[in-house]
mmCIF file with all atom_site columns, all heavy atoms in Angstrom:
data_model
loop_
_atom_site.group_PDB
_atom_site.id
_atom_site.type_symbol
_atom_site.label_atom_id
_atom_site.label_alt_id
_atom_site.label_comp_id
_atom_site.label_asym_id
_atom_site.label_entity_id
_atom_site.label_seq_id
_atom_site.pdbx_PDB_ins_code
_atom_site.Cartn_x
_atom_site.Cartn_y
_atom_site.Cartn_z
_atom_site.occupancy
_atom_site.B_iso_or_equiv
_atom_site.pdbx_formal_charge
_atom_site.auth_seq_id
_atom_site.auth_comp_id
_atom_site.auth_asym_id
_atom_site.auth_atom_id
_atom_site.pdbx_PDB_model_num
ATOM 1   N N   . GLU B 1 237 ? 12.502 -8.841  -10.470 1.00 96.00 ? 237 GLU B N   1
ATOM 2   C CA  . GLU B 1 237 ? 13.209 -7.822  -9.683  1.00 96.00 ? 237 GLU B CA  1
ATOM 3   C C   . GLU B 1 237 ? 12.285 -7.117  -8.696  1.00 96.00 ? 237 GLU B C   1
ATOM 4   O O   . GLU B 1 237 ? 11.065 -7.203  -8.811  1.00 96.00 ? 237 GLU B O   1
ATOM 5   C CB  . GLU B 1 237 ? 13.854 -6.797  -10.631 1.00 96.00 ? 237 GLU B CB  1
ATOM 6   C CG  . GLU B 1 237 ? 15.185 -7.322  -11.142 1.00 96.00 ? 237 GLU B CG  1
ATOM 7   C CD  . GLU B 1 237 ? 15.691 -6.581  -12.353 1.00 96.00 ? 237 GLU B CD  1
ATOM 8   O OE1 . GLU B 1 237 ? 14.886 -6.158  -13.181 1.00 96.00 ? 237 GLU B OE1 1
ATOM 9   O OE2 . GLU B 1 237 ? 16.901 -6.437  -12.465 1.00 96.00 ? 237 GLU B OE2 1
ATOM 10  N N   . TYR B 1 238 ? 12.912 -6.467  -7.748  1.00 96.00 ? 238 TYR B N   1
ATOM 11  C CA  . TYR B 1 238 ? 12.127 -5.729  -6.757  1.00 96.00 ? 238 TYR B CA  1
ATOM 12  C C   . TYR B 1 238 ? 12.698 -4.330  -6.566  1.00 96.00 ? 238 TYR B C   1
ATOM 13  O O   . TYR B 1 238 ? 13.869 -4.067  -6.863  1.00 96.00 ? 238 TYR B O   1
ATOM 14  C CB  . TYR B 1 238 ? 12.090 -6.463  -5.412  1.00 96.00 ? 238 TYR B CB  1
ATOM 15  C CG  . TYR B 1 238 ? 13.391 -6.396  -4.635  1.00 96.00 ? 238 TYR B CG  1
ATOM 16  C CD1 . TYR B 1 238 ? 13.689 -5.332  -3.791  1.00 96.00 ? 238 TYR B CD1 1
ATOM 17  C CD2 . TYR B 1 238 ? 14.339 -7.414  -4.746  1.00 96.00 ? 238 TYR B CD2 1
ATOM 18  C CE1 . TYR B 1 238 ? 14.873 -5.278  -3.092  1.00 96.00 ? 238 TYR B CE1 1
ATOM 19  C CE2 . TYR B 1 238 ? 15.525 -7.358  -4.050  1.00 96.00 ? 238 TYR B CE2 1
ATOM 20  C CZ  . TYR B 1 238 ? 15.798 -6.295  -3.224  1.00 96.00 ? 238 TYR B CZ  1
ATOM 21  O OH  . TYR B 1 238 ? 16.982 -6.229  -2.543  1.00 96.00 ? 238 TYR B OH  1
ATOM 22  N N   . VAL B 1 239 ? 11.843 -3.458  -6.059  1.00 96.00 ? 239 VAL B N   1
ATOM 23  C CA  . VAL B 1 239 ? 12.251 -2.117  -5.642  1.00 96.00 ? 239 VAL B CA  1
ATOM 24  C C   . VAL B 1 239 ? 11.738 -1.924  -4.229  1.00 96.00 ? 239 VAL B C   1
ATOM 25  O O   . VAL B 1 239 ? 10.609 -2.305  -3.916  1.00 96.00 ? 239 VAL B O   1
ATOM 26  C CB  . VAL B 1 239 ? 11.653 -1.029  -6.580  1.00 96.00 ? 239 VAL B CB  1
ATOM 27  C CG1 . VAL B 1 239 ? 11.821 0.350   -5.991  1.00 96.00 ? 239 VAL B CG1 1
ATOM 28  C CG2 . VAL B 1 239 ? 12.276 -1.108  -7.964  1.00 96.00 ? 239 VAL B CG2 1
ATOM 29  N N   . ARG B 1 240 ? 12.594 -1.384  -3.397  1.00 95.00 ? 240 ARG B N   1
ATOM 30  C CA  . ARG B 1 240 ? 12.195 -1.125  -2.010  1.00 95.00 ? 240 ARG B CA  1
ATOM 31  C C   . ARG B 1 240 ? 12.427 0.357   -1.730  1.00 95.00 ? 240 ARG B C   1
ATOM 32  O O   . ARG B 1 240 ? 13.509 0.873   -1.991  1.00 95.00 ? 240 ARG B O   1
ATOM 33  C CB  . ARG B 1 240 ? 13.049 -1.993  -1.094  1.00 95.00 ? 240 ARG B CB  1
ATOM 34  C CG  . ARG B 1 240 ? 12.858 -1.742  0.369   1.00 95.00 ? 240 ARG B CG  1
ATOM 35  C CD  . ARG B 1 240 ? 13.828 -2.614  1.152   1.00 95.00 ? 240 ARG B CD  1
ATOM 36  N NE  . ARG B 1 240 ? 13.812 -2.225  2.543   1.00 95.00 ? 240 ARG B NE  1
ATOM 37  C CZ  . ARG B 1 240 ? 13.765 -3.078  3.555   1.00 95.00 ? 240 ARG B CZ  1
ATOM 38  N NH1 . ARG B 1 240 ? 13.758 -4.367  3.335   1.00 95.00 ? 240 ARG B NH1 1
ATOM 39  N NH2 . ARG B 1 240 ? 13.754 -2.645  4.785   1.00 95.00 ? 240 ARG B NH2 1
ATOM 40  N N   . ILE B 1 241 ? 11.396 1.014   -1.223  1.00 94.00 ? 241 ILE B N   1
ATOM 41  C CA  . ILE B 1 241 ? 11.531 2.430   -0.864  1.00 94.00 ? 241 ILE B CA  1
ATOM 42  C C   . ILE B 1 241 ? 11.314 2.548   0.637   1.00 94.00 ? 241 ILE B C   1
ATOM 43  O O   . ILE B 1 241 ? 10.258 2.206   1.155   1.00 94.00 ? 241 ILE B O   1
ATOM 44  C CB  . ILE B 1 241 ? 10.526 3.317   -1.631  1.00 94.00 ? 241 ILE B CB  1
ATOM 45  C CG1 . ILE B 1 241 ? 10.747 3.166   -3.142  1.00 94.00 ? 241 ILE B CG1 1
ATOM 46  C CG2 . ILE B 1 241 ? 10.657 4.774   -1.216  1.00 94.00 ? 241 ILE B CG2 1
ATOM 47  C CD1 . ILE B 1 241 ? 9.782  3.956   -4.000  1.00 94.00 ? 241 ILE B CD1 1
ATOM 48  N N   . ASP B 1 242 ? 12.367 2.975   1.289   1.00 89.00 ? 242 ASP B N   1
ATOM 49  C CA  . ASP B 1 242 ? 12.341 3.105   2.741   1.00 89.00 ? 242 ASP B CA  1
ATOM 50  C C   . ASP B 1 242 ? 12.529 4.572   3.050   1.00 89.00 ? 242 ASP B C   1
ATOM 51  O O   . ASP B 1 242 ? 13.661 5.062   3.015   1.00 89.00 ? 242 ASP B O   1
ATOM 52  C CB  . ASP B 1 242 ? 13.531 2.319   3.322   1.00 89.00 ? 242 ASP B CB  1
ATOM 53  C CG  . ASP B 1 242 ? 13.075 1.311   4.336   1.00 89.00 ? 242 ASP B CG  1
ATOM 54  O OD1 . ASP B 1 242 ? 12.144 1.630   5.081   1.00 89.00 ? 242 ASP B OD1 1
ATOM 55  O OD2 . ASP B 1 242 ? 13.666 0.220   4.371   1.00 89.00 ? 242 ASP B OD2 1
ATOM 56  N N   . GLN B 1 243 ? 11.438 5.273   3.280   1.00 73.00 ? 243 GLN B N   1
ATOM 57  C CA  . GLN B 1 243 ? 11.497 6.718   3.457   1.00 73.00 ? 243 GLN B CA  1
ATOM 58  C C   . GLN B 1 243 ? 12.227 7.349   2.283   1.00 73.00 ? 243 GLN B C   1
ATOM 59  O O   . GLN B 1 243 ? 11.701 7.412   1.202   1.00 73.00 ? 243 GLN B O   1
ATOM 60  C CB  . GLN B 1 243 ? 12.102 7.055   4.803   1.00 73.00 ? 243 GLN B CB  1
ATOM 61  C CG  . GLN B 1 243 ? 11.195 6.559   5.936   1.00 73.00 ? 243 GLN B CG  1
ATOM 62  C CD  . GLN B 1 243 ? 11.845 6.588   7.271   1.00 73.00 ? 243 GLN B CD  1
ATOM 63  O OE1 . GLN B 1 243 ? 12.557 7.525   7.591   1.00 73.00 ? 243 GLN B OE1 1
ATOM 64  N NE2 . GLN B 1 243 ? 11.612 5.568   8.071   1.00 73.00 ? 243 GLN B NE2 1
ATOM 65  N N   . ARG B 1 244 ? 13.471 7.748   2.434   1.00 70.00 ? 244 ARG B N   1
ATOM 66  C CA  . ARG B 1 244 ? 14.139 8.416   1.310   1.00 70.00 ? 244 ARG B CA  1
ATOM 67  C C   . ARG B 1 244 ? 15.118 7.506   0.575   1.00 70.00 ? 244 ARG B C   1
ATOM 68  O O   . ARG B 1 244 ? 15.755 7.917   -0.390  1.00 70.00 ? 244 ARG B O   1
ATOM 69  C CB  . ARG B 1 244 ? 14.881 9.659   1.808   1.00 70.00 ? 244 ARG B CB  1
ATOM 70  C CG  . ARG B 1 244 ? 13.916 10.729  2.261   1.00 70.00 ? 244 ARG B CG  1
ATOM 71  C CD  . ARG B 1 244 ? 14.635 12.011  2.631   1.00 70.00 ? 244 ARG B CD  1
ATOM 72  N NE  . ARG B 1 244 ? 13.709 12.920  3.274   1.00 70.00 ? 244 ARG B NE  1
ATOM 73  C CZ  . ARG B 1 244 ? 12.850 13.679  2.624   1.00 70.00 ? 244 ARG B CZ  1
ATOM 74  N NH1 . ARG B 1 244 ? 12.771 13.638  1.326   1.00 70.00 ? 244 ARG B NH1 1
ATOM 75  N NH2 . ARG B 1 244 ? 12.039 14.486  3.283   1.00 70.00 ? 244 ARG B NH2 1
ATOM 76  N N   . TYR B 1 245 ? 15.272 6.271   1.018   1.00 87.00 ? 245 TYR B N   1
ATOM 77  C CA  . TYR B 1 245 ? 16.246 5.384   0.385   1.00 87.00 ? 245 TYR B CA  1
ATOM 78  C C   . TYR B 1 245 ? 15.560 4.425   -0.578  1.00 87.00 ? 245 TYR B C   1
ATOM 79  O O   . TYR B 1 245 ? 14.508 3.863   -0.274  1.00 87.00 ? 245 TYR B O   1
ATOM 80  C CB  . TYR B 1 245 ? 17.020 4.599   1.449   1.00 87.00 ? 245 TYR B CB  1
ATOM 81  C CG  . TYR B 1 245 ? 17.845 5.506   2.311   1.00 87.00 ? 245 TYR B CG  1
ATOM 82  C CD1 . TYR B 1 245 ? 17.367 5.911   3.559   1.00 87.00 ? 245 TYR B CD1 1
ATOM 83  C CD2 . TYR B 1 245 ? 19.061 5.994   1.869   1.00 87.00 ? 245 TYR B CD2 1
ATOM 84  C CE1 . TYR B 1 245 ? 18.103 6.774   4.351   1.00 87.00 ? 245 TYR B CE1 1
ATOM 85  C CE2 . TYR B 1 245 ? 19.801 6.859   2.650   1.00 87.00 ? 245 TYR B CE2 1
ATOM 86  C CZ  . TYR B 1 245 ? 19.322 7.253   3.888   1.00 87.00 ? 245 TYR B CZ  1
ATOM 87  O OH  . TYR B 1 245 ? 20.043 8.107   4.654   1.00 87.00 ? 245 TYR B OH  1
ATOM 88  N N   . VAL B 1 246 ? 16.188 4.238   -1.727  1.00 91.00 ? 246 VAL B N   1
ATOM 89  C CA  . VAL B 1 246 ? 15.631 3.338   -2.733  1.00 91.00 ? 246 VAL B CA  1
ATOM 90  C C   . VAL B 1 246 ? 16.660 2.247   -3.029  1.00 91.00 ? 246 VAL B C   1
ATOM 91  O O   . VAL B 1 246 ? 17.807 2.544   -3.373  1.00 91.00 ? 246 VAL B O   1
ATOM 92  C CB  . VAL B 1 246 ? 15.318 4.102   -4.038  1.00 91.00 ? 246 VAL B CB  1
ATOM 93  C CG1 . VAL B 1 246 ? 14.792 3.141   -5.100  1.00 91.00 ? 246 VAL B CG1 1
ATOM 94  C CG2 . VAL B 1 246 ? 14.302 5.196   -3.777  1.00 91.00 ? 246 VAL B CG2 1
ATOM 95  N N   . THR B 1 247 ? 16.262 1.004   -2.866  1.00 94.00 ? 247 THR B N   1
ATOM 96  C CA  . THR B 1 247 ? 17.151 -0.099  -3.216  1.00 94.00 ? 247 THR B CA  1
ATOM 97  C C   . THR B 1 247 ? 16.423 -1.012  -4.206  1.00 94.00 ? 247 THR B C   1
ATOM 98  O O   . THR B 1 247 ? 15.197 -0.985  -4.304  1.00 94.00 ? 247 THR B O   1
ATOM 99  C CB  . THR B 1 247 ? 17.565 -0.917  -1.974  1.00 94.00 ? 247 THR B CB  1
ATOM 100 O OG1 . THR B 1 247 ? 16.396 -1.295  -1.270  1.00 94.00 ? 247 THR B OG1 1
ATOM 101 C CG2 . THR B 1 247 ? 18.472 -0.136  -1.055  1.00 94.00 ? 247 THR B CG2 1
ATOM 102 N N   . TYR B 1 248 ? 17.176 -1.789  -4.943  1.00 94.00 ? 248 TYR B N   1
ATOM 103 C CA  . TYR B 1 248 ? 16.575 -2.735  -5.866  1.00 94.00 ? 248 TYR B CA  1
ATOM 104 C C   . TYR B 1 248 ? 17.419 -4.001  -5.889  1.00 94.00 ? 248 TYR B C   1
ATOM 105 O O   . TYR B 1 248 ? 18.569 -4.014  -5.426  1.00 94.00 ? 248 TYR B O   1
ATOM 106 C CB  . TYR B 1 248 ? 16.454 -2.140  -7.273  1.00 94.00 ? 248 TYR B CB  1
ATOM 107 C CG  . TYR B 1 248 ? 17.780 -1.916  -7.965  1.00 94.00 ? 248 TYR B CG  1
ATOM 108 C CD1 . TYR B 1 248 ? 18.302 -2.873  -8.833  1.00 94.00 ? 248 TYR B CD1 1
ATOM 109 C CD2 . TYR B 1 248 ? 18.522 -0.754  -7.755  1.00 94.00 ? 248 TYR B CD2 1
ATOM 110 C CE1 . TYR B 1 248 ? 19.518 -2.675  -9.477  1.00 94.00 ? 248 TYR B CE1 1
ATOM 111 C CE2 . TYR B 1 248 ? 19.723 -0.556  -8.383  1.00 94.00 ? 248 TYR B CE2 1
ATOM 112 C CZ  . TYR B 1 248 ? 20.225 -1.515  -9.247  1.00 94.00 ? 248 TYR B CZ  1
ATOM 113 O OH  . TYR B 1 248 ? 21.435 -1.317  -9.865  1.00 94.00 ? 248 TYR B OH  1
ATOM 114 N N   . GLY B 1 249 ? 16.857 -5.058  -6.411  1.00 95.00 ? 249 GLY B N   1
ATOM 115 C CA  . GLY B 1 249 ? 17.604 -6.319  -6.470  1.00 95.00 ? 249 GLY B CA  1
ATOM 116 C C   . GLY B 1 249 ? 16.792 -7.379  -7.185  1.00 95.00 ? 249 GLY B C   1
ATOM 117 O O   . GLY B 1 249 ? 15.741 -7.090  -7.772  1.00 95.00 ? 249 GLY B O   1
ATOM 118 N N   . LYS B 1 250 ? 17.280 -8.592  -7.133  1.00 96.00 ? 250 LYS B N   1
ATOM 119 C CA  . LYS B 1 250 ? 16.681 -9.706  -7.857  1.00 96.00 ? 250 LYS B CA  1
ATOM 120 C C   . LYS B 1 250 ? 15.699 -10.483 -6.984  1.00 96.00 ? 250 LYS B C   1
ATOM 121 O O   . LYS B 1 250 ? 15.954 -10.694 -5.801  1.00 96.00 ? 250 LYS B O   1
ATOM 122 C CB  . LYS B 1 250 ? 17.775 -10.673 -8.316  1.00 96.00 ? 250 LYS B CB  1
ATOM 123 C CG  . LYS B 1 250 ? 18.539 -10.186 -9.529  1.00 96.00 ? 250 LYS B CG  1
ATOM 124 C CD  . LYS B 1 250 ? 17.740 -10.456 -10.789 1.00 96.00 ? 250 LYS B CD  1
ATOM 125 C CE  . LYS B 1 250 ? 18.439 -9.907  -12.030 1.00 96.00 ? 250 LYS B CE  1
ATOM 126 N NZ  . LYS B 1 250 ? 17.553 -9.879  -13.192 1.00 96.00 ? 250 LYS B NZ  1
ATOM 127 N N   . MET B 1 251 ? 14.606 -10.922 -7.591  1.00 96.00 ? 251 MET B N   1
ATOM 128 C CA  . MET B 1 251 ? 13.721 -11.888 -6.952  1.00 96.00 ? 251 MET B CA  1
ATOM 129 C C   . MET B 1 251 ? 14.177 -13.271 -7.436  1.00 96.00 ? 251 MET B C   1
ATOM 130 O O   . MET B 1 251 ? 14.583 -13.422 -8.600  1.00 96.00 ? 251 MET B O   1
ATOM 131 C CB  . MET B 1 251 ? 12.261 -11.670 -7.356  1.00 96.00 ? 251 MET B CB  1
ATOM 132 C CG  . MET B 1 251 ? 11.648 -10.351 -6.925  1.00 96.00 ? 251 MET B CG  1
ATOM 133 S SD  . MET B 1 251 ? 11.473 -10.139 -5.145  1.00 96.00 ? 251 MET B SD  1
ATOM 134 C CE  . MET B 1 251 ? 9.963  -11.054 -4.816  1.00 96.00 ? 251 MET B CE  1
#
Side-chain angles (χ1 to χ4, degrees):
Chain B
E237 277 164 325
Y238 74 86
V239 168
R240 174 183 171 135
I241 301 178
D242 235 322
Q243 295 168 40
R244 292 185 190 280
Y245 296 98
V246 178
T247 52
Y248 68 95
K250 283 280 177 193
M251 296 294 279

